[in-house]
């Protein structure tokens, strides 16, 4: 594709200038609408090519940027281009070598930042991480897109990898912010964009599918882009444990220590996995201290706050609360609707009616992953079957999911809600203490678990620090009796049920 380089016929010069001027106006509009950061990352590398027969060709550096711009910005680009002095009916994106060369020269594409990171930290083994930026060819000539994070030398993403995969979709730009996650999002951005260590560690916690992993990935991408000379390691707690066990088995603990203590940013996901793993906790304790003393950033995520973690050494729990603890709460209706609207905008060939988005936001309340999965099923049905999508059709498509969400309340949510309502720490409510101010909320939580979940009595007992099912029966019977005579308790339980059922 011929990109706008001034090599045009004299007869077309005036028209060409008009097209170029309008393209510059379009870019200025995009910069104002989406902000400088998004514009620099995705739209600045786009170049105006030919305009012929009412169709404008735009050149982009890579396949990934083409796909990203097509999903997220092409609709707006088309509407702006149509408003120009030369009628443009359509806009097409093409990968162009000249656009790629300009992007590399000006260091405007994500690939440039990562390549700079590679040269700063030395050779980095190939990974299997798919993400914005670079491309290579396999032995048979097939093209593969990869973007390696600037992890320490010697870390790969193969079968023996220390590092974790980063999801290219999980960026700050694609994270929808609402009341329930605004604090965690702001803290994550502060860490990613700061030249120093603002708080250490950053501890993110929340239920399944609420955005912890999205924020962790977003931090890794942004931190690597802004600090290409620094080393980042993102890993699950499970993999940390397995690598530690392997290092002990093969008597190579010094290499293990060096790998984890030589990074500038260590990110540990699903920290609750190493509960009751004393040796692994001991090693992490020393790694934690070494990184903190070296002023290196540490970020941890878990399904509950440090004070509510069970099966962890007290000294480790104490240290986890040293920095900033940020909670990601369950989504409310407004945030769920915003997420759906954001995802729906990516589907350029299908308009999803607002009443369907509203229906999904009200019915799928468990977590963001299920919400996105529900939207994907609706979109796939519409594209594959070709029938108009109505609320009634959506009810048919998602019948199983809607049934599950009608009563999908888990015991962890109930315990947390009851503890907050009675101003207790979760560990206190689950302890062996029998004082009334603790025993009564515990009984309320057991009662709600019986009423609002499908769990058996033994299962409920196990979730309350391994109590016997007869204890649960007694608690349920006691609360049922008290609700008839104690109006305050009855009101508390009614309020808790409304909160848990959304």
């Amino acid at each position: 594709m011929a990109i706008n380089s001034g090599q045009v016929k004299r007869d077309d010069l005036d028209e060409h200038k008009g097209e170029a001027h309008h393209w510059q106006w379009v870019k200025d509009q995009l910069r104002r609408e989406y902000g400088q950061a998004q514009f620099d990352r995705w739209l600045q590398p786009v170049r105006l090519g030919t305009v012929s027969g009412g169709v404008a060709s735009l050149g982009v550096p890579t396949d990934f940027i083409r796909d990203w711009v097509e999903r997220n910005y092409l609709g707006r680009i088309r509407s702006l281009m149509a408003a120009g002095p030369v009628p443009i009916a359509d806009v097409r994106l093409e990968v162009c070598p000249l656009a790629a060369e300009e992007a590399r020269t000006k260091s405007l594409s994500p690939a440039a930042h990562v390549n700079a990171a590679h040269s700063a930290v030395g050779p980095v083994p190939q990974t299997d991480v798919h993400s914005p930026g670079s491309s290579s060819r396999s032995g048979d000539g097939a093209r593969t897109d990869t973007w390696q994070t600037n992890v320490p030398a010697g870390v790969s993403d193969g079968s023996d990898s220390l590092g974790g995969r980063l999801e290219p979709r999980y960026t700050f730009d694609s994270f929808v912010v609402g009341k329930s996650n605004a604090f965690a999002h702001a803290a994550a951005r502060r860490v990613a964009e700061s030249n120093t260590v603002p708080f250490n560690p950053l501890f993110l916690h929340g239920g399944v599918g609420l955005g912890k992993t999205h924020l962790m990935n977003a931090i890794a991408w942004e931190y690597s882009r802004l600090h290409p000379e620094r080393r980042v390691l993102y890993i699950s707690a499970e993999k940390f444990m397995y690598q530690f066990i392997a290092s002990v088995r093969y008597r190579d603990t010094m290499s293990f220590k060096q790998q984890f203590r030589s990074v500038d940013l260590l990110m540990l996901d699903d920290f609750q996995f190493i509960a009751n793993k004393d040796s692994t906790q001991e090693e992490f304790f020393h790694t934690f201290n070494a990184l903190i003393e070296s002023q290196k950033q540490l970020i941890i995520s878990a399904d509950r706050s440090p004070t509510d973690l069970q099966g962890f050494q007290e000294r480790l729990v104490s240290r986890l609360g040293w920095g900033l603890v940020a909670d990601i709460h369950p989504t409310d209706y407004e945030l769920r609707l915003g997420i759906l609207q954001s995802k729906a905008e990516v589907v350029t060939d299908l308009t999803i009616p607002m009443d369907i988005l509203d229906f999904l936001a009200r019915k799928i309340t468990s977590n963001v992953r299920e919400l996105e999965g529900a939207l994907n099923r609706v979109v796939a049905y519409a594209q594959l079957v070709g029938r108009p999508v109505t609320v009634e059709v959506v009810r048919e498509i998602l019948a199983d999911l809607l049934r599950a969400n009608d009563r999908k309340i888990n015991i962890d949510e109930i315990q947390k809600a009851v503890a907050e309502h009675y101003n207790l720490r979760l560990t206190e409510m689950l302890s062996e203490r029998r004082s009334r101010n603790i025993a009564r909320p515990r009984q309320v939580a057991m009662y709600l678990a019986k009423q609002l979940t499908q769990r058996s009595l033994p299962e409920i007992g196990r979730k309350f620090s391994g109590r016997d099912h007869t204890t649960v029966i007694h608690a349920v019977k006691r609360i049922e009796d008290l609700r008839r005579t104690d109006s305050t308790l009855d009101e508390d339980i009614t309020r808790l049920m409304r909160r848990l059922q959304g």
Side-chain angles (χ1 to χ4, degrees), residues 62-74:
T62 67
D63 286 341
F64 182 90
I65 293 181
R66 178 198 61 200
D67 295 342
W68 186 272
V69 171
E70 184 175 8
R71 287 196 303 267
N72 295 279
Y73 306 106
L74 187 55

Side-chain angles (χ1 to χ4, degrees), residues 5 27 43 60-61 80 100 125 200 260 265 284 309 312 324 331 469:
S5 58
K27 294 180 73 172
L43 298 170
V60 295
L80 291 172
N200 218 4
F260 283 93
L265 171 60
F284 179 76
L309 288 171
F312 284 87
L324 181 65
T331 57
H469 73 282

Side-chain angles (χ1 to χ4, degrees), residues 198-340:
F199 18 75
N200 218 4
L202 171 61
F203 192 102
L204 302 172
H205 70 96
V208 175
L210 296 182
K212 301 187 302 296
T213 299
H214 190 144
L215 280 181
M216 294 279 277
N217 276 255
I219 292 171
W221 288 126
E222 190 70 1
Y223 189 92
S224 295
R225 185 183 73 83
L226 296 176
H227 311 291
E229 75 286 357
R230 299 181 186 178
R231 297 179 175 183
V232 179
L233 179 54
Y234 172 84
I235 188 171
S236 68
E238 179 184 18
K239 189 171 283 188
F240 179 91
M241 183 191 73
Y242 289 147
Q243 291 295 333
F244 171 65
I245 292 172
S247 72
V248 173
R249 177 181 178 185
Y250 295 107
R251 300 179 182 180
D252 193 23
T253 56
M254 290 307 296
S255 295
F256 175 87
K257 294 177 187 292
Q258 178 62 24
Q259 290 283 1
F260 283 93
R261 299 181 191 186
S262 63
V263 300
D264 295 289
L265 171 60
L266 175 61
M267 312 181 74
L268 201 68
D269 207 356
D270 291 325
F271 189 71
Q272 72 277 356
F273 183 85
I274 60 174
N276 300 310
K277 309 294 192 301
D278 293 339
S279 297
T280 303
Q281 289 183 33
E282 182 74 21
E283 178 58 35
F284 179 76
F285 175 81
H286 296 300
T287 299
F288 180 101
N289 287 339
L291 291 173
I292 296 292
E293 291 172 2
S294 302
Q295 289 293 299
K296 306 301 184 182
Q297 182 69 61
L298 186 63
I299 304 176
I300 301 169
S301 77
D303 62 354
R304 56 189 61 189
S305 69
T307 56
D308 291 331
L309 288 171
Q310 298 183 41
F312 284 87
Q313 300 172 6
E314 186 176 346
R315 61 176 183 171
L316 182 55
V317 170
S318 174
R319 280 165 170 75
L320 294 176
W322 274 0
L324 181 65
V325 177
D327 188 6
I328 303 178
H329 298 282
T331 57
D332 55 20
Y333 165 77
E334 288 78 12
L335 179 56
R336 292 194 296 272
L337 184 60
I339 291 171
L340 288 170

Side-chain angles (χ1 to χ4, degrees), residues 130-193:
H130 288 274
S131 91
S134 62
S135 64
S136 61
R137 294 188 178 271
S138 59
D140 60 1
R143 186 183 171 283
T144 59
D145 290 322
T146 62
W147 183 9
Q148 303 160 338
T149 54
N150 52 326
V151 296
V155 178
S156 67
D157 198 30
S159 60
D160 61 343
S161 169
L162 284 175
R165 296 169 184 266
L166 291 181
E167 170 56 59
R169 296 177 300 125
Y170 291 165
T171 65
F172 284 123
D173 290 340
S174 62
F175 190 85
V176 181
V177 183
K179 291 180 181 178
S180 62
N181 59 26
F183 179 56
H185 172 264
R189 268 202 175 277
R190 176 73 181 279
V191 169
E193 297 172 354

